[in-house]
Amino acid sequence: DTAVSQTPKYLVTQMGNDKSIKCEQNLGHDTMYWYKQDSKKFLKIMFSYNNKELIINETVPNRFSPKSPDKAHLNLHINSLELGDSAVYFCASRQARGMGSPLHFGNGTRLTVT
Amino acid sequence: GENVEQHPSTLSVQEGDSAVIKCTYSDSASNYFPWYKQELGKRPQLIIDIRSNVGEKKDQRIAVTLNKTAKHFSLHITETQPEDSAVYFCAAPRNSGNTPLVFGKGTRLSVIA
């Protein structure tokens, strides 16, 4: 029943590995995002997709590659993981509306790179 | 692009007192201002939002006020309860309309019983 679901919830891996996080939303929204929340709780936009098309890439290293096979899914693949990638990654979605609309967040994926 | 400043970074209040968190934004074209609550280990959840065509909105113990001229908006929580303890984030669109939300740095609210 979760509107925005992402897996896995926890991810522990070593430096240099490649990992993926998956996200799906069943709200029928046309826009999906990846946000990164660091240890200080700052929430920063990474990517924005609208109807499967990349709209925004917020100066994220190209080791991060998002993929949207359809408008209900937005996955995040990370190559050559570094210690500084440790954070909580949130997927989110919203329906585009003229006066703005709320973001719906997934439960987050806590990535720990050792 | 939008810049959102949020104050204070931490706030402690006695149970039953009011709490006020303030945010300023830089882009005068911004037209949508949500507030999110994040409990420990959980996702941010929308608690209230306001659009630029109104100056105030209330939902039970929570209210948000918007001053477009001064480019600031505030969250007011009355009769605080221990379960209000969380991190609160304000946000504004990076540009107008439906561009990604830019978040403030958060306010950690502690309600002391």
Side-chain angles (χ1 to χ4, degrees):
Chain A
D1 284 306
T2 305
V4 182
S5 58
Q6 51 182 111
T7 55
K9 189 168 171 63
Y10 300 98
L11 193 47
V12 181
T13 189
Q14 292 186 323
M15 283 174 56
N17 285 348
D18 304 338
K19 289 293 177 187
S20 292
I21 307 171
K22 295 187 175 183
C23 178
E24 176 182 3
Q25 54 96 3
N26 63 5
L27 295 165
H29 290 167
D30 55 13
T31 309
M32 295 184 73
Y33 307 88
W34 280 108
Y35 278 83
K36 178 180 179 180
Q37 186 171 46
D38 62 21
S39 56
K40 293 183 179 176
K41 301 293 187 188
F42 300 158
L43 271 166
K44 286 193 68 175
I45 180 70
M46 298 175 68
F47 299 103
S48 169
Y49 268 75
N50 183 268
N51 280 318
K52 306 190 300 176
E53 287 193 29
L54 178 65
I55 304 298
I56 288 168
N57 174 341
E58 200 64 18
T59 60
V60 177
N62 58 14
R63 297 182 295 103
F64 291 77
S65 51
K67 282 202 171 49
S68 182
D70 56 61
K71 75 173 195 176
H73 295 83
L74 179 61
N75 304 322
L76 184 64
H77 188 76
I78 316 170
N79 288 328
S80 305
L81 279 154
E82 300 178 356
L83 292 176
D85 298 332
S86 296
V88 180
Y89 292 84
F90 285 100
C91 176
S93 72
R94 75 199 296 200
Q95 183 62 34
R97 265 187 229 145
M99 281 286 279
S101 56
L103 276 177
H104 296 255
F105 284 92
N107 286 326
T109 296
R110 182 175 294 277
L111 171 65
T112 303
V113 183
T114 61
Chain B
E2 184 67 274
N3 184 38
V4 178
E5 299 282 341
Q6 181 173 346
H7 299 280
S9 56
T10 59
L11 180 59
S12 288
V13 298
Q14 291 288 332
E15 183 178 359
D17 287 351
S18 294
V20 180
I21 303 170
K22 298 183 178 182
C23 285
T24 60
Y25 61 97
S26 59
D27 188 347
S28 56
S30 288
N31 57 4
Y32 175 68
F33 307 95
W35 285 91
Y36 285 81
K37 176 183 180 182
Q38 187 178 26
E39 295 176 356
L40 189 62
K42 299 201 173 171
R43 60 191 166 102
Q45 290 196 278
L46 179 76
I47 54 171
I48 196 167
D49 57 8
I50 191 167
R51 292 180 173 81
S52 57
N53 54 354
V54 298
E56 183 174 359
K57 185 176 176 181
K58 258 186 118 166
D59 182 3
Q60 300 182 346
R61 296 186 297 108
I62 294 171
V64 56
T65 58
L66 171 63
N67 183 327
K68 283 191 67 181
T69 305
K71 290 190 280 188
H72 66 70
F73 57 112
S74 301
L75 177 71
H76 304 253
I77 307 173
T78 58
E79 299 170 33
T80 53
Q81 300 166 4
E83 50 266 37
D84 294 329
S85 297
V87 179
Y88 291 81
F89 294 95
C90 63
R94 201 174 78 158
N95 304 106
S96 64
N98 290 292
T99 52
L101 293 177
V102 175
F103 285 84
K105 291 186 176 177
T107 296
R108 185 176 297 278
L109 173 64
S110 300
V111 179
I112 303 160

